[in-house]
Amino acid sequence: MKTVNAFAALAAATSVYAAPSSTEQLLPRASTLPAITVKGNAFFSGSSRFYIRGVDYQPGGSSQLVDPLADSTTCTRDIAEFTKLGLNTVRVYTVDNTANHDACMAALAAAGMYLVLDVNTPLYSLNRATPAPSYNSVYLQNIFATIDAFANYTNTLAFFSGNEVINDDSTTSAAPYVKAVTRDMRQYIGSRGYRQIPVGYSAADVDSNRLEMAEYMNCGTDDERSDFFAFNDYSWCDPSSFQISGWDQKVKNFTGYGIPIFLSEYGCNTNTRKFEEVAALYNTEMTGVYSGGLVYEYSEEGSKYGLVTINSDGTITEGADFAALKTALAGTADPTGDGGYNSTGGASGCPLHSANWNVTGDSLPAIPSAAAAMMKTGAGKGFGLTGLGSQNAGGASTGTATAGSGSVTATSTSKKSAAVGRQSPFDATPVLVAGVAIAFSFLGACLL
Ligand SMILES: *[C@@H]1O[C@H](CO)[C@@H](O)[C@H](O)[C@H]1NC(C)=O
Ligand SMILES: *[C@@H]1O[C@H](CO)[C@@H](O)[C@H](O)[C@H]1NC(C)=O
Ligand SMILES: *[C@@H]1O[C@H](CO)[C@@H](O)[C@H](O)[C@H]1NC(C)=O
Ligand SMILES: *[C@@H]1O[C@H](CO)[C@@H](O)[C@H](O)[C@H]1NC(C)=O
């Protein structure tokens, strides 16, 4: 497994909401695709099960940070490659929330593709070593602004509140902050009257606390629970098998888990990649519990995970891994019917404190007061990729939340979304929602 870190951030432009004219309502932003919803432990497109067939997409990685959804020349070039691969989803780790994303989101939608977006940036993220001061209103403002920037697109499939914030047992004490951020994002989406866009966390490939992290993100009151859970997994290294990789155990251990799970990064590159895991991932031996995954990663960034190389003249060279993934995906249909999903769904119990899990009690930090006010006022302008950073910005949380405090109590009525397929705003009914957390994930760094 690797400890690639990056951060994902989203940004959002300030939203000035005005009632749209009927003409504007006919110009939905990238809304030719139906919004994806959560039912039980699965994703759905209308009444059909939806499996993520995706790649992680961040050309330049974290060292040369560029918003890949802000440049229509490069995104359309890359979408042509995604189409050849037969994808339906891409994950982006960091965006500039002050940029315009209409063209790329529309191009993705036209190609039948969804976006899973990390809301963090290197500068606006939780600090896993000292999480308390970094959980502050400046940080939340920036990620809320990112939500504003992407909530209108019906092909925004989901938001990651964090990526690999917890990367070993000693950093598990940051978990309450990750969970609080997830809660706050969900409350913001509901309070602003947006579609119920799923929010969840992307966990590092750490065996010793994976299950605890998953349970933790799905325990407690409904306002505190995530909409889904995802983890990065590099355990299937071809040649391998369902048993040799341990994926059979990962099905067993997560059977009965009440929200969707998918692999937010996969594709071990220890040996020649044939992507034989694809045949297992979309097979009923896994689809009762898992909803697909995202291959790490689209472009070569120096760590030998790239499916393509982006040449200095901007052209694309497809590598051997590209052909292998294309063949694997083309040879693997989704299961017929509902794939054996569990329609019940529900909460997990909270994990107990242990040597692997340094969290005592179930309470979460209260939302910082300035961020709470944004539920009514909106976040305003985001800081983009060049702000001063949030980790020591002040305005941190000062207390412990009461259970249920993240429920949506009032919905903004000052705006209307033009997005097609918009659903009812969240309400306080107990369905399967949970939170997402924030973190950063580093792209393309050290593998282990
Ligand atoms: C979202 O759509 C509404 C209604 O059309 C519009 O007023 C608002 O500006 C849009 N938000 C963004 C960030 O484009
Ligand atoms: C557990 O977390 C607390 C902070 O909540 C910290 O003070 C303590 O050192 C941590 N223990 C271990 C073993 O990491
Ligand atoms: C499955 O759960 C068992 C028992 O908690 C644990 O020992 C094992 O490491 C887990 N396996 C995986 C692959 O997560
Ligand atoms: C379905 O999910 C519920 C709630 O998480 C759980 O209690 C039940 O055992 C699951 N059923 C199966 C067959 O996994």
Side-chain angles (χ1 to χ4, degrees):
M1 61 186 127
K2 75 189 165 75
T3 38
V4 186
N5 296 315
F7 24 110
L10 260 204
T14 302
S15 337
V16 178
Y17 298 105
S21 70
S22 54
T23 310
E24 285 169 326
Q25 282 172 329
L26 292 174
L27 294 171
R29 306 167 70 226
S31 31
T32 51
L33 286 179
I36 300 299
T37 56
V38 172
K39 195 160 59 147
N41 72 341
F43 293 113
F44 281 81
S45 172
S47 58
S48 301
R49 182 91 190 264
F50 180 85
Y51 301 93
I52 292 173
R53 288 175 174 255
V55 296
D56 297 309
Y57 178 47
Q58 193 82 41
S62 55
S63 56
Q64 212 188 321
L65 209 50
V66 173
D67 178 344
L69 301 177
D71 180 338
S72 62
T73 304
T74 56
C75 77
T76 52
R77 171 198 68 193
D78 297 332
I79 289 166
E81 300 296 325
F82 304 155
T83 298
K84 287 191 210 172
L85 288 169
L87 307 181
N88 63 16
T89 305
V90 294
R91 173 192 188 176
V92 172
Y93 293 85
T94 302
V95 291
D96 175 352
N97 59 7
T98 63
N100 186 302
H101 302 96
D102 289 353
C104 289
M105 290 303 287
L108 280 170
M113 290 173 203
Y114 292 87
L115 171 68
V116 177
L117 184 62
D118 287 78
V119 296
N120 297 285
T121 72
L123 290 169
Y124 293 83
S125 52
L126 286 183
N127 182 328
R128 65 163 70 86
T130 52
S134 66
Y135 174 61
N136 62 50
S137 55
V138 174
Y139 167 59
L140 290 169
Q141 178 184 351
N142 198 54
I143 64 173
F144 291 167
T146 301
I147 291 172
D148 289 336
F150 283 86
N152 277 1
Y153 305 118
T154 56
N155 60 331
T156 298
L157 195 169
F159 291 117
F160 280 130
S161 56
N163 176 41
E164 300 194 343
V165 178
I166 288 126
N167 60 0
D168 58 19
D169 292 341
S170 72
T171 47
T172 55
S173 49
Y177 298 92
V178 170
K179 191 168 172 177
V181 171
T182 308
R183 172 199 64 196
D184 300 344
M185 288 175 64
R186 294 183 60 256
Q187 185 179 29
Y188 187 76
I189 290 168
S191 299
R192 303 310 296 159
Y194 294 138
R195 167 171 68 86
Q196 192 170 336
I197 302 167
V199 184
Y201 173 68
S202 172
D205 190 355
V206 180
D207 285 335
S208 59
N209 60 45
R210 184 184 295 108
L211 197 55
E212 285 86 348
M213 191 70 206
E215 289 171 342
Y216 186 69
M217 295 304 290
N218 186 36
C219 76
T221 52
D222 286 307
D223 61 304
E224 297 175 345
R225 294 173 48 220
S226 293
D227 297 297
F228 65 86
F229 184 74
F231 61 88
N232 300 340
D233 188 291
Y234 292 90
S235 58
W236 182 306
C237 305
D238 290 324
S240 188
S241 73
F242 189 50
Q243 286 75 27
I244 293 168
S245 64
W247 281 17
D248 59 340
Q249 294 301 310
K250 285 172 181 158
V251 169
K252 195 163 159 254
N253 283 9
F254 281 101
T255 295
Y257 188 61
I259 53 178
I261 317 179
F262 61 92
L263 303 182
S264 34
E265 294 177 4
Y266 75 90
C268 172
N269 66 355
T270 306
N271 307 318
T272 300
R273 292 160 118 186
K274 293 185 181 165
F275 290 105
E276 290 175 346
E277 65 265 53
V278 166
L281 191 56
Y282 301 97
N283 183 286
T284 48
E285 65 196 347
M286 292 191 74
T287 56
V289 178
Y290 290 84
S291 293
L294 300 148
V295 170
Y296 190 82
E297 66 178 322
Y298 173 65
S299 57
E300 177 53 37
E301 303 298 337
S303 52
K304 303 206 165 17
Y305 280 96
L307 301 172
V308 307
T309 299
I310 301 176
N311 304 306
S312 53
D313 64 358
T315 57
I316 298 291
T317 300
E318 296 167 2
D321 291 3
F322 183 96
L325 180 61
K326 184 180 167 191
T327 301
L329 286 169
T332 308
D334 290 342
T336 55
D338 66 17
Y341 88 111
N342 182 335
S343 62
T344 311
S348 303
C350 290
L352 299 175
H353 183 277
S354 71
N356 303 335
W357 188 250
N358 187 18
V359 178
T360 306
D362 302 342
S363 62
L364 300 180
I367 186 170
S369 55
M374 295 173 204
M375 299 296 162
K376 286 203 171 81
T377 63
K381 198 165 163 42
F383 300 103
L385 297 177
T386 56
L388 296 173
S390 65
Q391 292 191 354
N392 299 301
S397 171
T398 54
T400 299
T402 37
S405 62
S407 301
V408 174
T409 51
T411 299
S412 167
T413 52
S414 61
K415 66 176 188 304
K416 284 202 160 46
S417 166
V420 169
R422 179 175 160 225
Q423 304 167 318
S424 307
F426 287 152
D427 59 22
T429 52
V431 195
L432 19 109
V433 196
V436 169
I438 282 184
F440 35 126
S441 69
F442 317 26
L443 306 181
C446 24
L447 332 183
L448 116 87

